[in-house]
Amino acid sequence: MFLAGLLAAWALLARFGPWPHHLFPGPKAVTESLVAMARDGRLWDAIVRSMGRLAQGYALSVLIGVPLGIAMGRLKPVRRMLRPLVVGLQALPSICWLPLALLWFGLTETSIIFVVVMGSVLAIAIAVEDGILGVDPLLLRVASTYGIRGARFYGGVLLPAALPGIVTGLKLGWSFAWRALMAGELLYVSGGLGQLLTMGRELMEIPQVMAVMVCIIAVGTLIDRVLFQTVELRVRRRWGLAPG
């Protein structure tokens, strides 16, 4: 009912609002544009390209961010040296990396993937560090008493205990990676959903612009609910943080 109310308000605003219809189309025009892009294949090609870049950039972010977060959480010298730098760089919008990426890597896929990595890796590292620091010290002392060290300690004690925080960090990193990807594709003609958005703006096809925006929201919501919320709920139930 809430979504139906939003659609009704959108339709009324498009019909009687202060903007001309060609600048603020209603749900019908946006739906027709979305269907047209799906039929001619432009939408599916754009989604495949964007998801491919996202998968590469996010995988690199996880491979770098998780070990970095563990190092900052476990080693005080590393935390003292890198924490201010990581927090400071995290405050920098990911789109600010695009000019450097274009100068370093040129007009290539690597440029956008670099922007995606820089947009998400630091958020993952900070969240993993917080998860490591949030582990019950008593659990760590018990592990030390029983002589659990090395790989057995990290794989059997520390990481499982910090897993809820790590999953939250991975979810947060995904959202930052998705935003960084869209920002990079908006400024660099390279296919993908961002390019569809830019083409709609340049051609004054506002229904296409809004249709792509709806698609970006739908893809992001679908991945979050199907993947991350499912994993997060199972982890929270396993650790007794949510009702079974």
Side-chain angles (χ1 to χ4, degrees), residues 147-198:
I148 302 175
R149 296 181 178 86
R152 186 183 175 193
F153 169 76
Y154 283 94
V157 178
L158 184 64
L159 293 181
L163 192 57
I166 293 175
V167 171
T168 300
L170 296 179
K171 180 179 178 181
L172 184 64
W174 138 256
S175 65
F176 277 103
W178 186 235
R179 295 177 185 178
L181 175 65
M182 292 299 105
E185 289 185 347
L186 277 173
L187 298 181
Y188 169 39
V189 179
S190 59
L193 292 171
Q195 184 182 356
L196 277 183
L197 203 62
T198 301

Side-chain angles (χ1 to χ4, degrees), residues 11 29 35 45 98 139 144 153:
V35 171
D45 290 342
L98 187 60
L139 180 63
S144 177
F153 169 76

